[in-house]
Amino acid sequence: MDFSAPRGMRDFYPEDMILRNRVFDAWRSAAVSFGFEQYDACVVESLDLLKRKAGEEVENQVYAFQDKSGREIALRAEMTPTLARMVAARQGSLQFPVKWFCIAQCFRYERMTKGRKREHYQLNLDIVGEDGAAGEAEVIAAAVCAMRKMGVPDEAYRVRLSSRALLSELLDKKGIDAKFHSGVFIALDKKGKMPREEIEEILRADGLGDEECAKAFDLTDISSLDEAAAIAGADSPAVARIRELLSLLELYGVASQVVFDISVIRGLSYYTGVVFEAFDTKGEFRAIFGGGRYDNLLTAIGGKPTPAVGLGFGDVVVGELLKSLGIADPAPKRDLVAVGYMTEAQRAAATRLAARLRGDGRNASLQLRPQKAKQFFAAAGDKATHAVYVGPDDEQAGTARLKDLATREQSEIPLS
Ligand code: HAM
């Protein structure tokens, strides 16, 4: 019998839950502190919904199957199509903009590399119904807030930001027809992950000539927003939008975290405007979080046109980063009282005492069997902050022995 989890899937033992909960707590508290409301959905989604955004990497990675009635379903690979479906279902009654977050387990049949599993949890922060740069600013600032709540120093990572709208304008200037742009985005996103010749082959298969391929590649060498602006022209809406966003981020107190990087394009096809990805500064890990504006997804799945922006923030890479920074230490022991008793005769008194402690709002873990005092106090130290013990003499005197397991100080408390 092999006791390991299926390849790419993780087991979370109690000690692993400490780090996971720390990450989830930071995510939740950052999202709530920015006024995002929580939503959720089932991990099983209809394959049809996922197929409607055909032609991208994630689709090949979907765990799909038929249920017993022959319905084509899948484990969600990301939350965004589900979010779009849920918003579309209530488009007439929702008060826009909506600011929603969720912590969703996602499944992708990926090649197993560092930072990539076949299952991961993702914080999703999305704002639907807002087309202004404030939307991007909110989700980026909330993600930075989550990083700070986890204790990650600002200098440990940067959010690299660009815009597909800008790249489109630049491709226009280079004479590359708009019908090629979405193909160019997906192909250029592979730069650094695939040899240039293979990317050029994809572009040529899309219909681009050699000269156009070279021009598209040249754009990824642009090293600053000013350089991009010089090509895009003084009246470029995309450049103005990025500048507006950068000044908003200044007001949020997170501008130091964000840098312009034309090579950020993102692999998902639904992005339309600003796109961004956070990476550790040492360049050791994969993307920590990523997202962007996707103004056409609602229409693509059959809803009314509605602008949207959001991000996904995975638990795997940030967990690796916390470990490498030496800040993944277990959280301080939670407040827990272990309750023990010497013989079967004291079980009732100890059980009542544990119930009273819980009634007072404490956490109490009652021993399931009688135990000698020495063993009980020794074992309690591993899990609890306090220990309460009832022996026959204690019971007779109507008291229990209370020990603070940190200071080892002992006192008596009344059983009542
Ligand atoms: P994504 O870039 O595919 O975007 O994933 C977002 C984050 O999820 C990544 O930056 C990474 O932290 C984590 N992640 C993705 N795949 C894996 C994997 N196989 N193993 C471990 N971690 C992984 C999206 O999913 C978009 N739906 C995000 C979004 C929300 N855009 C708008 N709203």
Side-chain angles (χ1 to χ4, degrees), residues 63 91 105 121 135 160 183 192 229-230 237 248 271 305 333-334 351 355:
Y63 280 87
Q91 228 161 354
Q105 194 174 20
Y121 285 91
R160 298 193 202 147
L248 280 175
Y271 293 114
K333 240 181 248 164
R334 71 201 160 108
T351 307

Side-chain angles (χ1 to χ4, degrees), residues 187-250:
L188 288 187
D189 179 62
K190 303 202 182 331
K191 198 181 157 191
K193 304 169 198 160
M194 206 187 243
R196 179 166 171 153
E197 303 76 57
E198 281 180 38
I199 301 172
E200 282 178 344
E201 245 166 66
I202 301 175
L203 289 172
R204 271 194 291 271
D206 276 354
L208 261 73
D210 285 349
E211 204 183 318
E212 288 169 315
C213 282
K215 281 182 181 165
F217 260 98
D218 286 350
L219 291 177
T220 60
D221 293 332
I222 290 174
S223 62
S224 69
L225 185 55
D226 287 341
E227 196 183 331
I231 305 173
D235 56 348
S236 156
V239 171
R241 176 62 174 249
I242 294 174
R243 293 207 200 281
E244 184 191 357
L245 172 57
L246 294 176
S247 48
L248 280 175
L249 291 169
E250 190 89 45

Side-chain angles (χ1 to χ4, degrees), residues 66-99:
Q66 273 192 353
D67 71 8
K68 289 189 177 168
S69 312
R71 278 184 209 95
E72 301 278 349
I73 44 188
L75 299 181
R76 66 175 169 229
E78 51 160 338
M79 199 62 187
T80 315
T82 302
L83 167 82
R85 177 177 64 68
M86 287 172 66
V87 169
R90 296 210 174 161
Q91 228 161 354
S93 58
L94 284 171
Q95 286 281 324
F96 291 102
V98 296
K99 287 170 63 176

